Amino acid sequence: MAKFEYSYYPGCSSQTGASSSNLMRSVDTMCEELDLKLNPIPDWNCCSASIGYGSGNVLPRLSLSARNIALSEQHNPNQDIVATCAACWLSTRETAERLHQDENMFKDVNTALAEARLTLTNKTPIRHMAEVLIEDVGYESLARGVKKPLQGIRIAGYVGCQTNRPFGIAGESFENPLYLDKLVESLGGDSVPTYEKKVQCCGGALAFSEPEKSQAMIHGIIEAAYDNGADMIVTPCPLCQTNVEIYQDVINAKFGSKFEMPVVYYSQLISVAYGRNSKDAALDGQLIRAKKLESFAG
Amino acid sequence: MSLNNAMLEKYRNNFLQEVAGNVEQGDWVKMCMQCGVCAGSCPLGDAWEHSPQKIFMMIRANRREQVLSSDSMWMCTSCYHCVVRCPRGLPIPHIMHGLASYAKRLGLAPKSNPTLWFAEVFWNNMLKKGRVNELKLGLSLYFKDGFASGIKQAMAHQKLGINMLKAKRMAPMDMFAGHAIKDIFGLHKMIRKAQEIEAAKLEANSK
Ligand code: SF4
Ligand code: SF4
C-alpha cells in the first residue's frame, strides 16, 4: 500500500501530447519515488481556467468544477483531491468554497449536476501537490531520499500567481513565499532567495490575447533570474512554465536579449535528485534544455 | 424589450444596486474605501484605462455606460495580487470578471477586445469535447484576423511549433481526434441547465 493516496486529475494541459505533458510525466515519476498514489478522477472535464468567466459566467463555470468534485466523491470516496495545475486547483477550490458560502448556488449547481446524473456533497478537501509535498511528505523526509544532491545548481524559485494567491500554502507569505527555495535546498541545490520576480504575473491566459503586454512581463521574470545568477528557473505552474519558456526566442528578437534560460518543474528536480534518468524526469520535454540538470540525471 | 433596457428601466439611477443584484460578487462594491492599493498592484496596470479602484468609484457615480463598455475589466489576468492586499477584502478579480461578462450579456462589451474573443473561443473549444484541444485553440489564435494573416502568423511561429512537436508537447493528430470525455452528453445537458437557471434569474431580476 502506498504511503498516501489521493484523488487526482492532471488537467487539459498536462495530458499526453499537450503543452505541459512533461509536468504529468515527471509527477508520475516523482510519485513513484515518494510512494504517493494518484487515483485519476474518471471522466474529469476541463475547469475552464481563469478565462472561463467570459462565456461561462458563474453557474455554468462553477458546474464544471462541481462535476469533477462530484465524480471524485463517487469514485474515489474519502480521498482529498490533489491538483498539479494552478488553474485546476484554483477553480476547483474556489468552486468548493463558493458553494460552501452560498446555499442557493449550491442548490442550483446540484440541479445542473442532476442532468448528468451526479450529486455533490462538497465535503472534499481540494489541495495542491505542493501542499502534499510540504505537509504530508515534509522537507526532512524529502531530503532523506535524495540520492544525487543537486549540488552547484542555482535555481530561482518562480512561484507565480495562482499557486500562491489567493489561497497559498499554509505558513507562507503572499509577497515572499519561500517554499520553492526550501524545496531546492532540501534537494541539495542552491536556492536564490533574492529572486525578486518570484510572484510576478506572467500574463496567464492573456499571453494569448495580449501577447505584447505579457511578453514584457515575461522578459522581466527571466531578466531577474539572470541578474541573480540563476542557472535555471523552477516553477509549480504549467502555464508559468510554458509562458516563461517557449517565447524566449520571440522575446529575444523583440528586446534584443540573449535569453536561454531553462524553466523546469519541481517534480523534475525531485525526480533527478532521486536518481531517475532524463527521460523519467521528462527533461526531453524542455524546449530549452536544462543541461546542468541533465548532467545529474545520467 | 432588450435585457439592457429592462435593467436600465428597473434600476434607473442606481447602478450600484444593479451591480449588487446582478454581477458576480457585486454586493462587495459598496465596501471599497478607495485606498488605491489594487490600482497599484495590477500587473497590467498601465493597460487599464480605469483601475479597479476607479471602476468602483464610477459604479457609485452611476457611470453605467462608461463602465460596462470599458475594456479595462478584460485586462484582468486573475493574478490575485489585489485580493490578498485589499484592506477591505474585496474579491476584485471576480467583480472584474463579473462586470465583464455582465457587459457582454447586455451587449455593451467592446466587441473587438482580444480577451473577450479568446474567452469565447476557449469556452467553445473546451465544451466541444469536455477538454481543451490545444492544437485547435492555437490555430484559432493564428487565424483570428483572417486566412492570410493566419498563414503569416503560423509561419512566424513555425519554429516554436516544430519545437513543441519535437518535445511531444503538441500532437498533430489532435486536429482529428484529441482528448474527449465519455459523458459529453451529460456535460452538455448540465451546462444547458446551468445557463437556463442563470438566465431565468437575470430575467426575473430585470422585472
Ligand atoms: S484595494 Fe480594496 S478598498 Fe482599496 S481601492 Fe482597491 S478595492 Fe477599494
Ligand atoms: S487580479 Fe486582476 S484586478 Fe487584481 S491585480 Fe490581478 S489583474 Fe489586477
Side-chain angles (χ1 to χ4, degrees), chain A residues 12-13 15-22 25 43-46 48-61 63-64 67 90 94 98 104 108 111-113 115-117 161-162 165-166 174-175 199-201 203 205-206 208-210 213-214 217 241-242 245-247 249-250 284-287, chain B residues 24-25 43-44 47 73-81 83-85 94 96-98 100-102 104-105 113-116 118-120 122-123 126-127 130-132 134 141 157 159-160 163-164 166-171 174 179-187 189-191 193-195 197-198 201:
Chain A
C12 300
S13 64
Q15 302 175 90
T16 309
S19 57
S20 313
S21 50
N22 48 342
R25 285 168 55 212
D43 216 35
W44 59 270
N45 56 264
C46 173
S48 86
S50 46
I51 197 75
Y53 72 87
S55 288
N57 300 319
V58 189
L59 196 58
R61 189 182 86 232
S63 304
L64 288 172
R67 180 177 178 274
L90 182 71
E94 218 160 56
R98 188 81 64 88
N104 286 330
D108 289 344
T111 310
L113 280 174
E115 297 286 310
R117 298 169 312 279
C161 294
Q162 298 189 346
R165 299 178 301 268
F174 295 126
E175 306 290 341
V199 297
Q200 162 74 48
C201 176
L206 272 72
F208 304 105
S209 55
E210 299 278 2
K213 300 182 180 83
S214 295
M217 297 196 283
Q241 197 282 337
T242 304
E245 186 193 31
I246 73 174
Y247 301 117
D249 278 347
V250 184
D284 53 357
Q286 305 305 115
L287 256 53
Chain B
E24 180 173 11
Q25 306 281 326
L44 286 184
M73 300 88 75
W74 298 94
M75 295 290 166
C76 174
T77 64
S78 310
C79 77
Y80 292 79
H81 260 304
V83 177
V84 300
R85 290 178 181 166
H94 302 113
M96 293 302 122
H97 298 166
S101 59
Y102 184 59
K104 183 172 174 232
R105 189 151 217 160
N113 180 274
T115 302
L116 181 152
F118 181 61
E120 199 162 290
F122 183 95
W123 179 265
M126 169 286 296
L127 207 54
R131 291 183 193 168
V132 170
E134 288 184 340
L141 269 170
H157 287 88
K159 188 167 157 217
L160 175 58
N163 288 340
M164 290 295 273
K166 275 199 219 146
K168 296 203 170 58
R169 286 163 65 181
M170 201 163 98
D174 282 3
H179 298 278
I181 69 167
K182 285 195 205 88
D183 187 24
I184 191 68
F185 182 70
L187 183 86
K189 268 177 75 180
M190 173 189 88
I191 293 293
K193 188 63 164 187
Q195 285 166 338
I197 298 173
E198 205 167 64
K201 283 210 170 145

Side-chain angles (χ1 to χ4, degrees), chain A residues 251-283:
Chain A
I251 289 172
N252 286 341
K254 209 175 282 171
F255 292 82
S257 47
K258 290 199 177 98
F259 294 160
E260 210 189 342
M261 176 64 71
V263 187
V264 301
Y265 294 109
Y266 62 89
S267 45
Q268 296 181 298
L269 295 182
I270 294 174
S271 298
V272 172
Y274 271 63
R276 301 294 289 262
N277 64 29
S278 289
K279 191 157 181 263
D280 292 350
L283 290 177

Side-chain angles (χ1 to χ4, degrees), chain A:
Chain A
M1 252 236 336
K3 211 166 14 178
F4 296 104
E5 211 172 322
Y6 309 94
S7 182
Y8 160 82
Y9 81 101
C12 300
S13 64
S14 291
Q15 302 175 90
T16 309
S19 57
S20 313
S21 50
N22 48 342
L23 173 60
M24 183 196 63
R25 285 168 55 212
S26 56
V27 162
D28 286 347
T29 303
M30 175 187 84
C31 287
E32 257 173 57
E33 290 297 324
L34 299 176
D35 200 16
L36 307 173
K37 185 156 185 260
L38 300 181
N39 301 314
I41 299 176
D43 216 35
W44 59 270
N45 56 264
C46 173
C47 70
S48 86
S50 46
I51 197 75
Y53 72 87
S55 288
N57 300 319
V58 189
L59 196 58
R61 189 182 86 232
L62 296 185
S63 304
L64 288 172
S65 289
R67 180 177 178 274
N68 288 334
I69 307 174
L71 284 169
S72 177
E73 286 174 346
Q74 186 183 341
H75 297 280
N76 302 331
N78 304 317
Q79 292 173 20
D80 294 0
I81 294 180
V82 167
T84 44
C85 167
C88 292
W89 179 51
L90 182 71
S91 304
T92 315
R93 184 157 163 193
E94 218 160 56
T95 299
E97 298 204 352
R98 188 81 64 88
L99 298 180
H100 277 303
Q101 292 153 4
D102 189 335
E103 217 171 298
N104 286 330
M105 191 76 83
F106 179 64
K107 266 191 221 133
D108 289 344
V109 158
N110 263 314
T111 310
L113 280 174
E115 297 286 310
R117 298 169 312 279
L118 289 166
T119 6
L120 176 73
T121 60
N122 202 19
K123 299 233 161 60
T124 312
I126 319 290
R127 304 175 69 201
H128 191 281
M129 183 56 91
E131 291 178 294
V132 167
L133 293 179
I134 295 161
E135 292 160 8
D136 298 357
V137 179
Y139 298 112
E140 273 172 40
S141 103
L142 191 68
R144 266 200 301 277
V146 170
K147 295 194 183 91
K148 287 186 182 163
L150 306 178
Q151 241 155 14
I153 317 187
R154 259 178 90 73
I155 308 169
Y158 174 51
V159 180
C161 294
Q162 298 189 346
T163 320
N164 181 39
R165 299 178 301 268
F167 301 120
I169 307 290
E172 291 280 1
S173 91
F174 295 126
E175 306 290 341
N176 185 20
L178 297 171
Y179 67 89
L180 280 181
D181 299 332
K182 291 183 199 157
L183 215 73
V184 166
E185 295 286 333
S186 306
L187 301 174
D190 295 329
S191 68
V192 186
T194 51
Y195 180 50
E196 70 275 23
K197 293 284 187 187
K198 60 165 70 166
V199 297
Q200 162 74 48
C201 176
C202 69
L206 272 72
F208 304 105
S209 55
E210 299 278 2
E212 308 278 323
K213 300 182 180 83
S214 295
Q215 283 164 17
M217 297 196 283
I218 297 168
H219 178 267
I221 292 166
I222 303 166
E223 188 174 53
Y226 275 108
D227 288 348
N228 280 282
D231 296 313
M232 61 188 69
I233 292 174
V234 63
T235 179
C237 171
L239 195 53
C240 292
Q241 197 282 337
T242 304
N243 280 347
V244 178
E245 186 193 31
I246 73 174
Y247 301 117
Q248 289 191 31
D249 278 347
V250 184
I251 289 172
N252 286 341
K254 209 175 282 171
F255 292 82
S257 47
K258 290 199 177 98
F259 294 160
E260 210 189 342
M261 176 64 71
V263 187
V264 301
Y265 294 109
Y266 62 89
S267 45
Q268 296 181 298
L269 295 182
I270 294 174
S271 298
V272 172
Y274 271 63
R276 301 294 289 262
N277 64 29
S278 289
K279 191 157 181 263
D280 292 350
L283 290 177
D284 53 357
Q286 305 305 115
L287 256 53
I288 298 173
R289 282 177 53 195
K291 291 183 194 135
K292 272 210 171 167
L293 197 56
E294 281 180 24
S295 70
F296 283 79

